Amino acid sequence: MSSLEIGIASFPALMVLIFLRVPIGLAMFLVGLFGLILVTDGTNVAFSRLKNETFTTFSSYSLSIVPMFLLMGHFATLGGMSTALFKAAEGFLGHRKGGVAMASIGACAGFGAICGSSLATAATMGRVALPELKRYGYAGGFSTATLAAGGTLGILIPPSVVLVIYAILTEQNIAKLFIAAFIPGILAALGYIIAISIYVRLYPESAGTREPIPMSERMRNLLAVWPVLLVFGLVVGGIYAGWFTPTEGAAIGAAGTGLIALLNGGLNWSTLIESFTVTARSTAMIFFIVLGAAFYNGFLALTQVPQELSNWVVDLGLSPWMVLSLILVFYLIFGCLMDSLSMILLTIPIFFPVISVLDFGMSAEHVAIWFGILVLIVVEVGLITPPVGMNLFIINAMDRSTRMIDTYKAVLFFVGSDIIRVVILVMFPIITLFLVPN
């Protein structure tokens, strides 16, 4: 077999390992290792690359941003920020039809601004909002679907761990990607609120009602979210203004949320150790997936698969928009079967060279940023798409009384909102690139 044939054959081999429930990082690592042995006719190159790739991957300064953002999310939870966000949103929206669900989306969006993880956002806001939704008579499937969808805002609204990984893979500016994600993130939250409004009109029995609270209490709840605004403004605003690098901003954000948690009484020696432990575990998992992807993608580059795929697509004569549409459809389908980080690491080294050679009438940097946001959104859809939407399982695990099929039915309204948003952002790239400096 030629090197190209070995590279192509690695895809079904990788899929077999994944469906056999081999961890995705280990699967990519093993396929890349044995693929290198076959291509180079020996173990010397493979084992030498194992040493060099490990050092090169983990010595990346940009990767240090990941544990900082994860730690910031844990400290934010300890500081009571998730509860404050929900109470503030509920005060202004809770008395409306479907208002408590809308407040959950608003709180998820706010928490996503200080937590770069979708799963962490879903789990945290689920603990806060799910009891309130049940208390006011919201249907179980509607409640779990709302919180699963709201959790996806954690990776779309900056800061975002997945965007950081994308920036590293494609050598793009992290700050510009964060800015580009801001308007699509707001559109996502508004789209989910509209989806809730439509759902409760079609199924009025799915949402209960509650009495409005006094304006004085609303304002007190609103003032209680000042730490969130302070941290978000300092981190994202400081990065955008050039006061510090994204990694420095993440460190400042972690320190700031830690201080707030300490002042609020949520941070003590025990919870500090727990936060470090949970962050270390999550970081180790992410880093191992990154290492496996680096090893596998290095093997693919040696076989010339990405380059040959780019040439083949160009030779087909398809329009750039058709190619982009096919790639996004692929992400929508594959997102049902794989988590977002693994999807990004596995596919971007293959698809990004294809997109880079197509002419969309924009600069190469703008195409890379625009494509990154589109990919982030369709990967986000995979988190709530049956049958393997990770957020769906996390929220349903908190409410065993709700059947998964009920969650599946309700979440389709949010998936529809996501697909409409993707179409709009594909048709009008300026929405994504409006705030991005040249």
Side-chain angles (χ1 to χ4, degrees):
M1 295 177 68
S2 67
S3 296
L4 181 61
E5 291 171 337
I6 294 173
I8 294 173
S10 70
F11 290 107
L14 181 60
M15 292 301 103
V16 168
L17 289 177
I18 291 173
F19 283 114
L20 289 175
R21 304 189 69 82
V22 175
I24 180 68
L26 180 60
M28 288 190 289
F29 173 78
L30 291 175
V31 172
L33 178 65
F34 285 105
L36 276 174
I37 292 174
L38 290 175
V39 169
T40 59
D41 294 323
T43 60
N44 290 339
V45 173
F47 289 163
S48 175
R49 188 173 182 84
L50 175 60
K51 176 186 67 175
N52 295 332
E53 194 71 58
T54 303
F55 175 79
T56 302
T57 300
F58 295 141
S59 63
S60 171
Y61 175 72
S62 298
L63 269 182
S64 59
I65 197 174
V66 173
M68 291 294 101
F69 280 144
L70 294 177
L71 186 61
M72 185 166 69
H74 287 297
F75 283 161
T77 303
L78 294 174
M81 296 184 193
S82 54
T83 303
L85 284 165
F86 179 74
K87 287 184 176 179
E90 188 186 24
F92 287 91
L93 297 172
H95 60 283
R96 301 177 182 274
K97 188 66 174 178
V100 180
M102 295 177 186
S104 301
I105 295 297
C108 286
F111 193 74
I114 51 175
C115 175
S117 167
S118 174
L119 301 182
T121 300
T124 300
M125 296 311 306
R127 287 191 292 269
V128 173
L130 194 56
E132 291 296 304
L133 289 165
K134 295 176 75 69
R135 175 185 171 191
Y136 291 109
Y138 281 67
F142 178 44
S143 300
T144 51
T146 297
L147 292 170
T152 63
L153 299 174
I155 64 170
L156 182 55
I157 295 179
S160 167
V161 170
V162 177
L163 267 185
V164 171
I165 300 299
Y166 175 85
I168 294 172
L169 289 174
T170 58
E171 298 181 350
Q172 297 302 312
N173 185 289
I174 295 176
K176 290 184 178 181
L177 279 165
F178 281 0
I179 294 300
F182 187 73
I183 294 180
I186 298 298
L187 290 179
L190 292 176
Y192 288 162
I193 289 174
I194 293 172
I196 290 171
S197 179
I198 294 172
Y199 189 91
V200 296
R201 280 165 175 75
L202 293 176
Y203 306 99
E205 73 286 352
S206 64
T209 57
R210 46 148 285 186
E211 295 297 320
I213 65 174
M215 182 58 69
S216 58
E217 186 176 346
R218 295 184 192 183
M219 297 309 297
R220 282 198 302 272
N221 291 339
L222 185 62
L223 290 174
V225 303
W226 69 265
V228 177
L229 299 176
L230 177 63
V231 171
F232 177 77
L234 185 61
V235 174
V236 178
I239 292 172
Y240 184 65
W243 297 342
F244 33 71
T245 67
T247 303
E248 292 167 348
I252 290 172
T257 50
L259 180 60
I260 292 168
L262 180 64
L263 295 175
N264 288 345
L267 187 64
N268 52 45
W269 183 252
S270 176
T271 55
L272 178 64
I273 295 300
E274 182 184 359
S275 296
F276 286 160
T277 303
V278 173
T279 300
R281 288 174 179 167
S282 301
T283 302
M285 178 191 69
I286 292 172
F287 277 21
F288 186 72
I289 296 175
V290 170
L291 176 62
F295 213 75
Y296 180 64
N297 293 328
F299 153 70
L300 284 183
L302 188 63
T303 64
Q304 298 290 303
V305 167
Q307 295 88 334
E308 291 297 329
L309 179 62
S310 300
N311 295 335
W312 178 71
V313 169
V314 171
D315 292 340
L316 284 176
L318 298 175
S319 72
W321 302 98
M322 177 62 71
V323 175
L324 176 65
S325 299
L326 291 174
I327 290 175
L328 295 179
V329 169
F330 170 87
Y331 274 114
L332 285 172
I333 296 172
F334 224 62
C336 302
L337 307 171
M338 191 178 296
D339 69 275
S340 56
L341 180 61
S342 301
M343 281 274 289
I344 292 288
L345 288 165
L346 179 61
T347 59
I348 287 301
I350 299 170
F351 289 147
F352 185 71
V354 175
I355 292 296
S356 298
V357 299
L358 301 176
D359 183 13
F360 290 95
M362 295 178 279
S363 67
E365 182 185 40
H366 279 181
V367 169
I369 293 173
W370 175 56
F371 179 65
I373 301 303
L374 291 176
V375 168
L376 188 68
I377 293 172
V378 291
V379 164
E380 159 208 325
V381 178
L383 292 171
I384 57 172
T385 306
V388 194
M390 295 293 292
N391 279 14
L392 300 179
F393 286 101
I394 286 177
I395 297 299
N396 257 81
M398 300 180 181
D399 185 12
R400 297 292 187 181
S401 62
T402 298
R403 299 183 305 165
M404 183 63 80
I405 188 66
D406 294 332
T407 303
Y408 284 167
K409 291 177 181 178
V411 85
L412 292 179
F413 283 77
F414 298 99
V415 173
S417 171
D418 281 327
I419 292 175
I420 292 172
R421 178 162 40 97
V422 170
V423 172
I424 292 173
L425 294 177
V426 168
M427 294 176 62
F428 305 101
I430 188 63
I431 296 175
T432 302
L433 302 173
F434 176 70
L435 296 177
V436 179
N438 292 321

